[in-house]
Amino acid sequence: MRRILKAVTAVVCSAMLLGSCSSDGGQRSDQALFSYFVPEQIATSNSASYLGFLTDSSLISPRLYPGVFVHGPAGQMIPNRDVATAQLLPGAKRQVVYTIADNATFSDGAPLTCTDFTLAVQAGKFPEVFNSHVPLVQQIEEVKCNPGAKEFTVVFHEGQGYRWRHLFRSGTVMPAHVVASKLGITEQDLFGRIQSGDVEQMRQIGETWSEAFRLDRFDPAAQVSFGPYKVERITEGGGLVLVANELYNGDAPAISPLVIRPQSSTAGSFHEDGGAVGIADVPAVSDAAWTEKKSTYRVETTSGKLVDELILQKSGQLAAPEDRQALAACIDQAQVAQESATVSGVTVSPLGTRLSPADTPTAIATQDIGAAHLGVDIPAAERLRGKTIRVAYVGPNPRFAAMIQAMQKSCEPAGITIEDVSADFDPATATIEPPIIGDASAAFPENAGLVAPDSQPQPQATTYAASNYATASASVVPPQADALLIAVEPGFEYGNVAASTEEQEELRHAEEMLWQEVPTIPLASQPRVFIIDNAVENVAIGTTRSGIGWNMDRWSKGAK
């Protein structure tokens, strides 16, 4: 992450986007702007890209590229009619008709159309071409769209699409006209290429879609939005200056301009230097120590909606489900959660299930399944004796490092070495690896609430079709590692799970089958710590991928 921060700073100065690169005048004026601090550097505004997934770009996207449904603070999906309306049609195959708001436009005046949504779906369906991570779109059979139209229909594979409200979440519908312009082609031509499903026709589109919205290569013409905010520029320290989008089809934001700043652990020193800290999402309670003698701030802590988990390779020494089960058997989730709590200062829950956040009704309904997989079973782990399991994550991250140390201690008696390889993992250069179509079908009997590999069309020579998350998830683990440690949002992951998150029996079947396949190992809920200026009104704590900024356009500054 330090490499990304340096790159962002360098590109800003070299492009002379700010006068503050040559003097501190601009920097000082920027310090006076309302600041929202996020834990790490935001590397891209494209949350659907692999880089966006790895670096939490969802924290800035909610009010730049709003979803068709807004993910609220309690995890509820709130219809966002400023963008589009959605109507579910009855039938054996779920179909959802989307009607885009007539006045929904990008900040450069281009209309928001079904071409943009079709690009979002195809980007998710071809992760190794677009370097993307949008698992749920694997449930989509087709998108019926006339290029440039304001209405389109999504058709799901039979028995799938229960989580249709989670599609087109914030930060995943990017401007197709920007991608087409950068390639020197028309939107009609772009549409034809992505609909072809031909990898060679899509390759340049995929590269542009993945790279055009990176902030270390900041291009103002590419950073167009259809939300209440748009990105105006980047500050010298890598902060994003957001201003009101005059063309937004909704109410104007109450605070403009607003700066989203990286490295929230530095918020205290920024404040001491005269900076205006409005909100800070910090990694640990210790990062909020500077507020102890300041009555103008409060600190809120909570166990969040995201789940810290290990996403496992489906190749190499973890190719067989039995090998992944053996690794899970040596991990003590309770001790991992304790280490996470010690570093963050926030009590979190150990987890043995994947499809529900902690302490939700569905999590409670599957608690017995999770409990059977908590704790350590050394005899079951013996299968991996003598093996070294390499774990990557985006660092530096003291909390993740401590969690890996807990895994090292619990796996050592089984002769399994857990190695922290985060120093060798650079998200700025990471790419999706082609997935291996493998052995998941044996783990998915009928009526288990999961999609077996033979239930979807097989890929052609020039196309890719991932049939389930267990195989496709291998692609998000970097090649130098056997596992990726990351916080995920259950509702948006596991594209192979066709079970409704509201049907407890279906969820129970799905959880049981996932423990047979073990594409991931759930560890604990994610701790969250927020510093809030008491003068800021309309703040609603959110712990989803959108974070506390899910409604930042409604924040307002009142009297202290």
Side-chain angles (χ1 to χ4, degrees), residues 30 33-37 229-233 235 239-244 253-261 278-279 536 549 551-556:
D30 283 340
L33 299 179
F34 182 99
S35 295
Y36 164 38
F37 276 85
Y229 283 108
K230 63 182 179 181
V231 179
E232 180 186 63
R233 57 188 171 87
T235 70
L240 274 65
V241 179
L242 306 187
V243 296
I255 298 177
S256 177
L258 176 152
V259 185
I260 302 180
R261 298 187 186 275
I279 307 283
V536 182
N551 72 332
M552 70 172 75
D553 57 314
R554 297 299 93 209
W555 294 346
S556 62

PDB file of all heavy atoms in Angstrom, residues 30 33-37 229-233 235 239-244 253-261 278-279 536 549 551-556:
ATOM      1  N   ASP A  30      -6.242  22.926   1.641  1.00  0.00           N
ATOM      2  CA  ASP A  30      -6.903  21.626   1.645  1.00  0.00           C
ATOM      3  C   ASP A  30      -7.138  21.114   3.056  1.00  0.00           C
ATOM      4  O   ASP A  30      -8.114  20.417   3.317  1.00  0.00           O
ATOM      5  CB  ASP A  30      -6.064  20.593   0.869  1.00  0.00           C
ATOM      6  CG  ASP A  30      -6.189  20.774  -0.633  1.00  0.00           C
ATOM      7  OD1 ASP A  30      -7.168  21.403  -1.068  1.00  0.00           O
ATOM      8  OD2 ASP A  30      -5.299  20.292  -1.359  1.00  0.00           O
ATOM      9  N   LEU A  33     -10.511  21.807   4.571  1.00  0.00           N
ATOM     10  CA  LEU A  33     -11.708  21.152   4.032  1.00  0.00           C
ATOM     11  C   LEU A  33     -12.142  19.999   4.929  1.00  0.00           C
ATOM     12  O   LEU A  33     -11.321  19.327   5.541  1.00  0.00           O
ATOM     13  CB  LEU A  33     -11.423  20.621   2.625  1.00  0.00           C
ATOM     14  CG  LEU A  33     -11.027  21.648   1.561  1.00  0.00           C
ATOM     15  CD1 LEU A  33     -10.749  20.955   0.235  1.00  0.00           C
ATOM     16  CD2 LEU A  33     -12.100  22.712   1.395  1.00  0.00           C
ATOM     17  N   PHE A  34     -13.440  19.764   4.980  1.00  0.00           N
ATOM     18  CA  PHE A  34     -13.991  18.649   5.749  1.00  0.00           C
ATOM     19  C   PHE A  34     -13.329  17.357   5.278  1.00  0.00           C
ATOM     20  O   PHE A  34     -13.327  17.040   4.090  1.00  0.00           O
ATOM     21  CB  PHE A  34     -15.502  18.583   5.547  1.00  0.00           C
ATOM     22  CG  PHE A  34     -16.187  17.491   6.331  1.00  0.00           C
ATOM     23  CD1 PHE A  34     -16.825  17.784   7.529  1.00  0.00           C
ATOM     24  CD2 PHE A  34     -16.193  16.178   5.880  1.00  0.00           C
ATOM     25  CE1 PHE A  34     -17.473  16.784   8.252  1.00  0.00           C
ATOM     26  CE2 PHE A  34     -16.822  15.173   6.593  1.00  0.00           C
ATOM     27  CZ  PHE A  34     -17.467  15.477   7.790  1.00  0.00           C
ATOM     28  N   SER A  35     -12.784  16.589   6.221  1.00  0.00           N
ATOM     29  CA  SER A  35     -12.041  15.388   5.859  1.00  0.00           C
ATOM     30  C   SER A  35     -12.685  14.124   6.430  1.00  0.00           C
ATOM     31  O   SER A  35     -13.058  14.078   7.605  1.00  0.00           O
ATOM     32  CB  SER A  35     -10.597  15.483   6.355  1.00  0.00           C
ATOM     33  OG  SER A  35      -9.915  16.534   5.705  1.00  0.00           O
ATOM     34  N   TYR A  36     -12.777  13.122   5.571  1.00  0.00           N
ATOM     35  CA  TYR A  36     -13.232  11.783   5.947  1.00  0.00           C
ATOM     36  C   TYR A  36     -12.047  10.859   5.717  1.00  0.00           C
ATOM     37  O   TYR A  36     -11.616  10.645   4.580  1.00  0.00           O
ATOM     38  CB  TYR A  36     -14.450  11.401   5.098  1.00  0.00           C
ATOM     39  CG  TYR A  36     -14.810   9.927   5.087  1.00  0.00           C
ATOM     40  CD1 TYR A  36     -14.713   9.131   6.225  1.00  0.00           C
ATOM     41  CD2 TYR A  36     -15.307   9.340   3.922  1.00  0.00           C
ATOM     42  CE1 TYR A  36     -15.064   7.788   6.196  1.00  0.00           C
ATOM     43  CE2 TYR A  36     -15.672   7.994   3.884  1.00  0.00           C
ATOM     44  CZ  TYR A  36     -15.546   7.226   5.016  1.00  0.00           C
ATOM     45  OH  TYR A  36     -15.896   5.891   4.982  1.00  0.00           O
ATOM     46  N   PHE A  37     -11.498  10.303   6.794  1.00  0.00           N
ATOM     47  CA  PHE A  37     -10.329   9.429   6.710  1.00  0.00           C
ATOM     48  C   PHE A  37     -10.756   7.971   6.589  1.00  0.00           C
ATOM     49  O   PHE A  37     -11.642   7.505   7.308  1.00  0.00           O
ATOM     50  CB  PHE A  37      -9.455   9.591   7.960  1.00  0.00           C
ATOM     51  CG  PHE A  37      -8.491  10.738   7.900  1.00  0.00           C
ATOM     52  CD1 PHE A  37      -8.886  12.022   8.255  1.00  0.00           C
ATOM     53  CD2 PHE A  37      -7.180  10.541   7.488  1.00  0.00           C
ATOM     54  CE1 PHE A  37      -8.001  13.079   8.211  1.00  0.00           C
ATOM     55  CE2 PHE A  37      -6.281  11.591   7.444  1.00  0.00           C
ATOM     56  CZ  PHE A  37      -6.687  12.872   7.802  1.00  0.00           C
ATOM     57  N   TYR A 229     -21.718  13.035  -5.694  1.00  0.00           N
ATOM     58  CA  TYR A 229     -20.376  13.608  -5.734  1.00  0.00           C
ATOM     59  C   TYR A 229     -19.651  13.211  -7.004  1.00  0.00           C
ATOM     60  O   TYR A 229     -19.975  12.198  -7.651  1.00  0.00           O
ATOM     61  CB  TYR A 229     -19.549  13.113  -4.543  1.00  0.00           C
ATOM     62  CG  TYR A 229     -19.858  13.765  -3.220  1.00  0.00           C
ATOM     63  CD1 TYR A 229     -20.541  13.055  -2.223  1.00  0.00           C
ATOM     64  CD2 TYR A 229     -19.474  15.078  -2.943  1.00  0.00           C
ATOM     65  CE1 TYR A 229     -20.817  13.635  -0.993  1.00  0.00           C
ATOM     66  CE2 TYR A 229     -19.750  15.661  -1.711  1.00  0.00           C
ATOM     67  CZ  TYR A 229     -20.416  14.939  -0.740  1.00  0.00           C
ATOM     68  OH  TYR A 229     -20.683  15.517   0.475  1.00  0.00           O
ATOM     69  N   LYS A 230     -18.645  13.988  -7.341  1.00  0.00           N
ATOM     70  CA  LYS A 230     -17.689  13.612  -8.383  1.00  0.00           C
ATOM     71  C   LYS A 230     -16.288  13.943  -7.868  1.00  0.00           C
ATOM     72  O   LYS A 230     -16.122  14.787  -6.973  1.00  0.00           O
ATOM     73  CB  LYS A 230     -17.968  14.366  -9.684  1.00  0.00           C
ATOM     74  CG  LYS A 230     -17.826  15.880  -9.594  1.00  0.00           C
ATOM     75  CD  LYS A 230     -18.162  16.555 -10.916  1.00  0.00           C
ATOM     76  CE  LYS A 230     -18.046  18.092 -10.797  1.00  0.00           C
ATOM     77  NZ  LYS A 230     -18.390  18.764 -12.083  1.00  0.00           N
ATOM     78  N   VAL A 231     -15.277  13.268  -8.408  1.00  0.00           N
ATOM     79  CA  VAL A 231     -13.892  13.510  -7.996  1.00  0.00           C
ATOM     80  C   VAL A 231     -13.372  14.708  -8.765  1.00  0.00           C
ATOM     81  O   VAL A 231     -13.329  14.709  -9.993  1.00  0.00           O
ATOM     82  CB  VAL A 231     -13.010  12.277  -8.266  1.00  0.00           C
ATOM     83  CG1 VAL A 231     -11.572  12.570  -7.851  1.00  0.00           C
ATOM     84  CG2 VAL A 231     -13.531  11.059  -7.522  1.00  0.00           C
ATOM     85  N   GLU A 232     -12.967  15.749  -8.048  1.00  0.00           N
ATOM     86  CA  GLU A 232     -12.434  16.948  -8.687  1.00  0.00           C
ATOM     87  C   GLU A 232     -10.933  16.837  -8.929  1.00  0.00           C
ATOM     88  O   GLU A 232     -10.420  17.147  -9.993  1.00  0.00           O
ATOM     89  CB  GLU A 232     -12.725  18.179  -7.827  1.00  0.00           C
ATOM     90  CG  GLU A 232     -12.211  19.474  -8.427  1.00  0.00           C
ATOM     91  CD  GLU A 232     -12.384  20.648  -7.491  1.00  0.00           C
ATOM     92  OE1 GLU A 232     -11.772  20.641  -6.401  1.00  0.00           O
ATOM     93  OE2 GLU A 232     -13.133  21.586  -7.849  1.00  0.00           O
ATOM     94  N   ARG A 233     -10.210  16.359  -7.927  1.00  0.00           N
ATOM     95  CA  ARG A 233      -8.750  16.266  -8.016  1.00  0.00           C
ATOM     96  C   ARG A 233      -8.233  15.437  -6.860  1.00  0.00           C
ATOM     97  O   ARG A 233      -8.997  14.962  -6.016  1.00  0.00           O
ATOM     98  CB  ARG A 233      -8.118  17.663  -7.969  1.00  0.00           C
ATOM     99  CG  ARG A 233      -8.499  18.463  -6.722  1.00  0.00           C
ATOM    100  CD  ARG A 233      -8.002  19.911  -6.801  1.00  0.00           C
ATOM    101  NE  ARG A 233      -8.533  20.721  -5.734  1.00  0.00           N
ATOM    102  CZ  ARG A 233      -7.977  20.842  -4.530  1.00  0.00           C
ATOM    103  NH1 ARG A 233      -6.853  20.183  -4.257  1.00  0.00           N
ATOM    104  NH2 ARG A 233      -8.515  21.606  -3.599  1.00  0.00           N
ATOM    105  N   THR A 235      -5.320  15.464  -3.715  1.00  0.00           N
ATOM    106  CA  THR A 235      -4.433  16.327  -2.949  1.00  0.00           C
ATOM    107  C   THR A 235      -3.010  15.770  -2.966  1.00  0.00           C
ATOM    108  O   THR A 235      -2.764  14.641  -3.391  1.00  0.00           O
ATOM    109  CB  THR A 235      -4.887  16.450  -1.484  1.00  0.00           C
ATOM    110  OG1 THR A 235      -4.665  15.193  -0.820  1.00  0.00           O
ATOM    111  CG2 THR A 235      -6.357  16.821  -1.388  1.00  0.00           C
ATOM    112  N   GLY A 239      -5.265  12.390  -1.068  1.00  0.00           N
ATOM    113  CA  GLY A 239      -6.683  12.503  -0.742  1.00  0.00           C
ATOM    114  C   GLY A 239      -7.510  12.827  -1.977  1.00  0.00           C
ATOM    115  O   GLY A 239      -7.034  13.480  -2.915  1.00  0.00           O
ATOM    116  N   LEU A 240      -8.746  12.359  -1.986  1.00  0.00           N
ATOM    117  CA  LEU A 240      -9.665  12.631  -3.094  1.00  0.00           C
ATOM    118  C   LEU A 240     -10.571  13.795  -2.722  1.00  0.00           C
ATOM    119  O   LEU A 240     -11.311  13.716  -1.741  1.00  0.00           O
ATOM    120  CB  LEU A 240     -10.533  11.400  -3.397  1.00  0.00           C
ATOM    121  CG  LEU A 240      -9.967  10.351  -4.338  1.00  0.00           C
ATOM    122  CD1 LEU A 240      -8.739   9.689  -3.729  1.00  0.00           C
ATOM    123  CD2 LEU A 240     -11.021   9.312  -4.660  1.00  0.00           C
ATOM    124  N   VAL A 241     -10.515  14.859  -3.496  1.00  0.00           N
ATOM    125  CA  VAL A 241     -11.391  16.001  -3.275  1.00  0.00           C
ATOM    126  C   VAL A 241     -12.681  15.756  -4.047  1.00  0.00           C
ATOM    127  O   VAL A 241     -12.686  15.693  -5.276  1.00  0.00           O
ATOM    128  CB  VAL A 241     -10.738  17.316  -3.730  1.00  0.00           C
ATOM    129  CG1 VAL A 241     -11.701  18.485  -3.491  1.00  0.00           C
ATOM    130  CG2 VAL A 241      -9.433  17.547  -2.977  1.00  0.00           C
ATOM    131  N   LEU A 242     -13.771  15.585  -3.306  1.00  0.00           N
ATOM    132  CA  LEU A 242     -15.080  15.379  -3.912  1.00  0.00           C
ATOM    133  C   LEU A 242     -15.864  16.679  -3.875  1.00  0.00           C
ATOM    134  O   LEU A 242     -15.855  17.401  -2.871  1.00  0.00           O
ATOM    135  CB  LEU A 242     -15.868  14.295  -3.169  1.00  0.00           C
ATOM    136  CG  LEU A 242     -15.215  12.926  -2.974  1.00  0.00           C
ATOM    137  CD1 LEU A 242     -16.228  11.956  -2.360  1.00  0.00           C
ATOM    138  CD2 LEU A 242     -14.670  12.383  -4.272  1.00  0.00           C
ATOM    139  N   VAL A 243     -16.546  16.977  -4.972  1.00  0.00           N
ATOM    140  CA  VAL A 243     -17.420  18.144  -5.036  1.00  0.00           C
ATOM    141  C   VAL A 243     -18.781  17.700  -5.545  1.00  0.00           C
ATOM    142  O   VAL A 243     -18.927  16.601  -6.099  1.00  0.00           O
ATOM    143  CB  VAL A 243     -16.835  19.247  -5.960  1.00  0.00           C
ATOM    144  CG1 VAL A 243     -15.527  19.783  -5.395  1.00  0.00           C
ATOM    145  CG2 VAL A 243     -16.638  18.721  -7.373  1.00  0.00           C
ATOM    146  N   ALA A 244     -19.770  18.545  -5.368  1.00  0.00           N
ATOM    147  CA  ALA A 244     -21.124  18.200  -5.792  1.00  0.00           C
ATOM    148  C   ALA A 244     -21.173  17.981  -7.301  1.00  0.00           C
ATOM    149  O   ALA A 244     -20.574  18.727  -8.076  1.00  0.00           O
ATOM    150  CB  ALA A 244     -22.087  19.306  -5.385  1.00  0.00           C
ATOM    151  N   PRO A 253     -25.455  17.168  -2.246  1.00  0.00           N
ATOM    152  CA  PRO A 253     -24.852  16.856  -0.944  1.00  0.00           C
ATOM    153  C   PRO A 253     -24.803  18.084  -0.047  1.00  0.00           C
ATOM    154  O   PRO A 253     -24.662  19.219  -0.521  1.00  0.00           O
ATOM    155  CB  PRO A 253     -23.453  16.359  -1.314  1.00  0.00           C
ATOM    156  CG  PRO A 253     -23.164  16.957  -2.651  1.00  0.00           C
ATOM    157  CD  PRO A 253     -24.482  17.032  -3.353  1.00  0.00           C
ATOM    158  N   ALA A 254     -24.903  17.845   1.241  1.00  0.00           N
ATOM    159  CA  ALA A 254     -24.910  18.955   2.202  1.00  0.00           C
ATOM    160  C   ALA A 254     -23.524  19.535   2.406  1.00  0.00           C
ATOM    161  O   ALA A 254     -23.380  20.720   2.712  1.00  0.00           O
ATOM    162  CB  ALA A 254     -25.486  18.478   3.538  1.00  0.00           C
ATOM    163  N   ILE A 255     -22.479  18.714   2.274  1.00  0.00           N
ATOM    164  CA  ILE A 255     -21.098  19.176   2.448  1.00  0.00           C
ATOM    165  C   ILE A 255     -20.360  19.044   1.125  1.00  0.00           C
ATOM    166  O   ILE A 255     -20.236  17.944   0.579  1.00  0.00           O
ATOM    167  CB  ILE A 255     -20.358  18.378   3.539  1.00  0.00           C
ATOM    168  CG1 ILE A 255     -21.038  18.557   4.890  1.00  0.00           C
ATOM    169  CG2 ILE A 255     -18.895  18.798   3.623  1.00  0.00           C
ATOM    170  CD1 ILE A 255     -20.400  17.730   6.008  1.00  0.00           C
ATOM    171  N   SER A 256     -19.874  20.152   0.595  1.00  0.00           N
ATOM    172  CA  SER A 256     -19.078  20.150  -0.633  1.00  0.00           C
ATOM    173  C   SER A 256     -18.205  21.406  -0.616  1.00  0.00           C
ATOM    174  O   SER A 256     -18.725  22.507  -0.385  1.00  0.00           O
ATOM    175  CB  SER A 256     -19.977  20.160  -1.863  1.00  0.00           C
ATOM    176  OG  SER A 256     -19.226  20.237  -3.042  1.00  0.00           O
ATOM    177  N   PRO A 257     -16.895  21.251  -0.827  1.00  0.00           N
ATOM    178  CA  PRO A 257     -16.173  20.011  -1.090  1.00  0.00           C
ATOM    179  C   PRO A 257     -15.951  19.180   0.174  1.00  0.00           C
ATOM    180  O   PRO A 257     -16.112  19.665   1.289  1.00  0.00           O
ATOM    181  CB  PRO A 257     -14.833  20.495  -1.656  1.00  0.00           C
ATOM    182  CG  PRO A 257     -14.641  21.827  -1.012  1.00  0.00           C
ATOM    183  CD  PRO A 257     -16.015  22.424  -0.877  1.00  0.00           C
ATOM    184  N   LEU A 258     -15.573  17.926  -0.067  1.00  0.00           N
ATOM    185  CA  LEU A 258     -15.258  16.972   0.994  1.00  0.00           C
ATOM    186  C   LEU A 258     -14.039  16.180   0.529  1.00  0.00           C
ATOM    187  O   LEU A 258     -13.952  15.817  -0.642  1.00  0.00           O
ATOM    188  CB  LEU A 258     -16.455  16.063   1.239  1.00  0.00           C
ATOM    189  CG  LEU A 258     -16.359  14.907   2.239  1.00  0.00           C
ATOM    190  CD1 LEU A 258     -17.749  14.611   2.830  1.00  0.00           C
ATOM    191  CD2 LEU A 258     -15.821  13.633   1.589  1.00  0.00           C
ATOM    192  N   VAL A 259     -13.098  15.941   1.447  1.00  0.00           N
ATOM    193  CA  VAL A 259     -11.884  15.210   1.077  1.00  0.00           C
ATOM    194  C   VAL A 259     -11.881  13.841   1.753  1.00  0.00           C
ATOM    195  O   VAL A 259     -12.033  13.746   2.976  1.00  0.00           O
ATOM    196  CB  VAL A 259     -10.605  15.972   1.487  1.00  0.00           C
ATOM    197  CG1 VAL A 259      -9.367  15.239   0.967  1.00  0.00           C
ATOM    198  CG2 VAL A 259     -10.628  17.394   0.949  1.00  0.00           C
ATOM    199  N   ILE A 260     -11.734  12.787   0.945  1.00  0.00           N
ATOM    200  CA  ILE A 260     -11.508  11.446   1.497  1.00  0.00           C
ATOM    201  C   ILE A 260     -10.004  11.238   1.562  1.00  0.00           C
ATOM    202  O   ILE A 260      -9.321  11.253   0.534  1.00  0.00           O
ATOM    203  CB  ILE A 260     -12.161  10.351   0.644  1.00  0.00           C
ATOM    204  CG1 ILE A 260     -13.664  10.600   0.527  1.00  0.00           C
ATOM    205  CG2 ILE A 260     -11.899   8.978   1.248  1.00  0.00           C
ATOM    206  CD1 ILE A 260     -14.391   9.559  -0.304  1.00  0.00           C
ATOM    207  N   ARG A 261      -9.485  11.097   2.776  1.00  0.00           N
ATOM    208  CA  ARG A 261      -8.040  11.009   2.967  1.00  0.00           C
ATOM    209  C   ARG A 261      -7.623   9.594   3.371  1.00  0.00           C
ATOM    210  O   ARG A 261      -8.343   8.911   4.094  1.00  0.00           O
ATOM    211  CB  ARG A 261      -7.577  12.002   4.050  1.00  0.00           C
ATOM    212  CG  ARG A 261      -7.853  13.454   3.697  1.00  0.00           C
ATOM    213  CD  ARG A 261      -7.228  14.408   4.705  1.00  0.00           C
ATOM    214  NE  ARG A 261      -7.607  15.779   4.441  1.00  0.00           N
ATOM    215  CZ  ARG A 261      -6.978  16.588   3.578  1.00  0.00           C
ATOM    216  NH1 ARG A 261      -5.919  16.139   2.933  1.00  0.00           N
ATOM    217  NH2 ARG A 261      -7.388  17.830   3.392  1.00  0.00           N
ATOM    218  N   GLY A 278     -13.432  15.405  10.103  1.00  0.00           N
ATOM    219  CA  GLY A 278     -14.867  15.264  10.326  1.00  0.00           C
ATOM    220  C   GLY A 278     -15.229  13.863  10.786  1.00  0.00           C
ATOM    221  O   GLY A 278     -15.863  13.674  11.826  1.00  0.00           O
ATOM    222  N   ILE A 279     -14.792  12.858  10.011  1.00  0.00           N
ATOM    223  CA  ILE A 279     -15.037  11.447  10.289  1.00  0.00           C
ATOM    224  C   ILE A 279     -13.743  10.687  10.017  1.00  0.00           C
ATOM    225  O   ILE A 279     -13.037  10.988   9.052  1.00  0.00           O
ATOM    226  CB  ILE A 279     -16.148  10.855   9.398  1.00  0.00           C
ATOM    227  CG1 ILE A 279     -17.421  11.694   9.474  1.00  0.00           C
ATOM    228  CG2 ILE A 279     -16.412   9.395   9.756  1.00  0.00           C
ATOM    229  CD1 ILE A 279     -18.241  11.516  10.713  1.00  0.00           C
ATOM    230  N   VAL A 536     -20.954  16.980  13.379  1.00  0.00           N
ATOM    231  CA  VAL A 536     -21.434  16.395  12.122  1.00  0.00           C
ATOM    232  C   VAL A 536     -22.755  15.674  12.372  1.00  0.00           C
ATOM    233  O   VAL A 536     -22.835  14.791  13.219  1.00  0.00           O
ATOM    234  CB  VAL A 536     -20.402  15.416  11.531  1.00  0.00           C
ATOM    235  CG1 VAL A 536     -20.908  14.861  10.194  1.00  0.00           C
ATOM    236  CG2 VAL A 536     -19.063  16.099  11.347  1.00  0.00           C
ATOM    237  N   GLY A 549     -19.448   5.896   5.290  1.00  0.00           N
ATOM    238  CA  GLY A 549     -19.737   6.885   4.255  1.00  0.00           C
ATOM    239  C   GLY A 549     -20.854   6.497   3.314  1.00  0.00           C
ATOM    240  O   GLY A 549     -21.041   7.146   2.280  1.00  0.00           O
ATOM    241  N   ASN A 551     -23.838   7.119   3.416  1.00  0.00           N
ATOM    242  CA  ASN A 551     -24.749   8.245   3.187  1.00  0.00           C
ATOM    243  C   ASN A 551     -24.033   9.580   3.374  1.00  0.00           C
ATOM    244  O   ASN A 551     -24.598  10.544   3.877  1.00  0.00           O
ATOM    245  CB  ASN A 551     -25.956   8.159   4.138  1.00  0.00           C
ATOM    246  CG  ASN A 551     -25.580   8.490   5.590  1.00  0.00           C
ATOM    247  OD1 ASN A 551     -24.426   8.278   6.002  1.00  0.00           O
ATOM    248  ND2 ASN A 551     -26.522   8.993   6.357  1.00  0.00           N
ATOM    249  N   MET A 552     -22.771   9.649   2.945  1.00  0.00           N
ATOM    250  CA  MET A 552     -21.982  10.853   3.213  1.00  0.00           C
ATOM    251  C   MET A 552     -22.584  12.113   2.601  1.00  0.00           C
ATOM    252  O   MET A 552     -22.318  13.226   3.079  1.00  0.00           O
ATOM    253  CB  MET A 552     -20.537  10.671   2.743  1.00  0.00           C
ATOM    254  CG  MET A 552     -20.360  10.620   1.248  1.00  0.00           C
ATOM    255  SD  MET A 552     -18.608  10.640   0.754  1.00  0.00           S
ATOM    256  CE  MET A 552     -18.130   8.962   1.153  1.00  0.00           C
ATOM    257  N   ASP A 553     -23.390  11.981   1.571  1.00  0.00           N
ATOM    258  CA  ASP A 553     -24.029  13.166   0.994  1.00  0.00           C
ATOM    259  C   ASP A 553     -25.083  13.758   1.920  1.00  0.00           C
ATOM    260  O   ASP A 553     -25.516  14.907   1.711  1.00  0.00           O
ATOM    261  CB  ASP A 553     -24.653  12.828  -0.358  1.00  0.00           C
ATOM    262  CG  ASP A 553     -25.654  11.693  -0.278  1.00  0.00           C
ATOM    263  OD1 ASP A 553     -25.337  10.672   0.370  1.00  0.00           O
ATOM    264  OD2 ASP A 553     -26.755  11.822  -0.854  1.00  0.00           O
ATOM    265  N   ARG A 554     -25.491  13.010   2.940  1.00  0.00           N
ATOM    266  CA  ARG A 554     -26.468  13.523   3.909  1.00  0.00           C
ATOM    267  C   ARG A 554     -25.802  14.118   5.142  1.00  0.00           C
ATOM    268  O   ARG A 554     -26.478  14.740   5.973  1.00  0.00           O
ATOM    269  CB  ARG A 554     -27.424  12.407   4.362  1.00  0.00           C
ATOM    270  CG  ARG A 554     -28.286  11.802   3.262  1.00  0.00           C
ATOM    271  CD  ARG A 554     -29.198  12.836   2.622  1.00  0.00           C
ATOM    272  NE  ARG A 554     -28.600  13.442   1.443  1.00  0.00           N
ATOM    273  CZ  ARG A 554     -28.845  14.659   1.023  1.00  0.00           C
ATOM    274  NH1 ARG A 554     -29.677  15.432   1.661  1.00  0.00           N
ATOM    275  NH2 ARG A 554     -28.258  15.128  -0.049  1.00  0.00           N
ATOM    276  N   TRP A 555     -24.482  13.915   5.285  1.00  0.00           N
ATOM    277  CA  TRP A 555     -23.790  14.530   6.408  1.00  0.00           C
ATOM    278  C   TRP A 555     -23.924  16.054   6.319  1.00  0.00           C
ATOM    279  O   TRP A 555     -23.921  16.637   5.226  1.00  0.00           O
ATOM    280  CB  TRP A 555     -22.304  14.182   6.391  1.00  0.00           C
ATOM    281  CG  TRP A 555     -21.998  12.735   6.614  1.00  0.00           C
ATOM    282  CD1 TRP A 555     -22.827  11.759   7.073  1.00  0.00           C
ATOM    283  CD2 TRP A 555     -20.732  12.093   6.365  1.00  0.00           C
ATOM    284  NE1 TRP A 555     -22.174  10.551   7.145  1.00  0.00           N
ATOM    285  CE2 TRP A 555     -20.893  10.727   6.716  1.00  0.00           C
ATOM    286  CE3 TRP A 555     -19.498  12.530   5.895  1.00  0.00           C
ATOM    287  CZ2 TRP A 555     -19.840   9.814   6.601  1.00  0.00           C
ATOM    288  CZ3 TRP A 555     -18.461  11.624   5.776  1.00  0.00           C
ATOM    289  CH2 TRP A 555     -18.621  10.277   6.128  1.00  0.00           C
ATOM    290  N   SER A 556     -24.033  16.689   7.464  1.00  0.00           N
ATOM    291  CA  SER A 556     -24.060  18.154   7.494  1.00  0.00           C
ATOM    292  C   SER A 556     -23.308  18.622   8.723  1.00  0.00           C
ATOM    293  O   SER A 556     -23.164  17.877   9.698  1.00  0.00           O
ATOM    294  CB  SER A 556     -25.499  18.677   7.506  1.00  0.00           C
ATOM    295  OG  SER A 556     -26.182  18.241   8.685  1.00  0.00           O
TER     296      SER A 556
END
